[in-house]
Amino acid sequence: GNSVTQMEGPVTLSEEAFLTINCTYTATGYPSLFWYVQYPGEGLQLLLKATKADDKGSNKGFEATYRKETTSFHLEKGSVQVSDSAVYFCALTILQGAQKLVFGQGTRLTINP
Amino acid sequence: NAGVTQTPKFQVLKTGQSMTLQCAQDMNHEYMSWYRQDPGMGLRLIHYSVGAGITDQGEVPNGYNVSRSTTEDFPLRLLSAAPSQTSVYFCASKTSGGTDTQYFGPGTRLTVL
């Protein structure tokens, strides 16, 4: 089946620290990979995506590279800000069939000033 | 564009009561879906629709019904609420393109006593 595993949180960092949130996946097909972010009290927003192996998605200083050989899509940011505090979800979708999103369990990130 | 809208924002039900969570989108998206979000479990797909008149079950459909009479609306019905349905519910929509972004509503927080 299809599944996504994220590093467990919560993660607490100081402002300007380097961030990595690990994400690995299992898929029966050839998935597209996504990172969504949920700010407090809001719905989910797409942060970035990658649709094929070795693609790098990037947005707002965040990056993630689609690694087919390690089935991973780790999220990184070189210098986090307090405003990055949120819950981050890794997700995949298979292009065939219903194109459903399969989510990881989410990682809560808190950035202290 | 209002995007994806959901009503109500909050709801408290007693066990056995019924209610409908409303979801509407104004982006002419063919694909709509309902997820529930529970602590430590990410988002899980309840039901989805690939177009008006077409619905299908997701990962956790029991206790929920849906219909899709128009492109814009995708209501979720709880026929007899149970405490296990206490959760935050998100509606999402996208075009039918496989890698296209899903847009999420702000969510409905439901408590069943």
Side-chain angles (χ1 to χ4, degrees):
Chain A
N2 303 313
S3 65
V4 176
T5 302
Q6 292 180 233
M7 69 183 281
E8 290 202 19
V11 174
T12 302
L13 296 172
S14 298
E15 205 165 24
E16 300 183 2
F18 183 86
L19 169 71
T20 300
I21 301 178
N22 290 336
C23 171
T24 57
Y25 67 89
T26 301
T28 54
Y30 194 8
S32 292
L33 302 174
F34 304 83
W35 277 100
Y36 279 83
V37 59
Q38 183 180 30
Y39 298 104
E42 298 183 10
L44 278 72
Q45 306 172 22
L46 178 69
L47 181 60
L48 53 83
K49 70 179 183 183
T51 60
K52 60 182 186 294
D54 300 324
D55 267 3
K56 177 185 285 188
S58 60
N59 187 25
K60 299 182 180 180
F62 291 89
E63 293 182 339
T65 300
Y66 189 142
R67 300 289 188 200
K68 187 178 180 184
E69 63 275 12
T70 55
T71 62
S72 65
F73 193 55
H74 305 320
L75 183 68
E76 296 182 336
K77 187 174 185 182
S79 177
V80 293
Q81 306 300 314
V82 172
S83 57
D84 294 327
S85 298
V87 181
Y88 292 81
F89 292 92
C90 186
L92 66 81
T93 189
I94 302 295
L95 295 183
Q96 289 75 31
Q99 304 167 19
K100 298 172 281 189
L101 273 173
V102 176
F103 286 89
Q105 73 271 35
T107 301
R108 181 175 299 277
L109 174 67
T110 301
I111 307 299
N112 293 322
Chain B
N1 284 351
V4 180
T5 58
Q6 291 183 238
T7 55
K9 286 188 179 297
F10 302 94
Q11 183 71 49
V12 179
L13 293 178
K14 295 181 179 179
T15 297
Q17 286 185 315
S18 63
M19 79 159 296
T20 299
L21 279 63
Q22 301 292 343
C23 173
Q25 53 89 12
D26 61 359
M27 297 174 280
N28 201 32
H29 286 167
E30 299 92 346
Y31 184 95
M32 297 185 74
S33 54
W34 277 101
Y35 295 85
R36 59 177 290 172
Q37 182 182 25
D38 300 296
M41 300 185 73
L43 278 75
R44 293 180 292 169
L45 182 66
I46 305 171
H47 285 286
Y48 66 96
S49 169
V50 298
I54 306 170
T55 64
D56 206 346
Q57 296 181 352
E59 183 185 358
V60 288
N62 292 339
Y64 308 95
N65 282 346
V66 293
S67 60
R68 184 94 179 272
S69 56
T70 67
T71 299
E72 295 78 18
D73 300 300
F74 191 45
L76 178 72
R77 297 182 184 85
L78 285 72
L79 297 179
S80 179
S84 60
Q85 294 178 304
T86 294
S87 188
V88 181
Y89 292 85
F90 290 99
C91 180
S93 74
K94 65 185 285 294
T95 66
S96 58
T99 61
D100 286 353
T101 301
Q102 287 212 32
Y103 294 86
F104 284 81
T108 294
R109 183 175 294 275
L110 175 67
T111 301
V112 183
L113 303 175

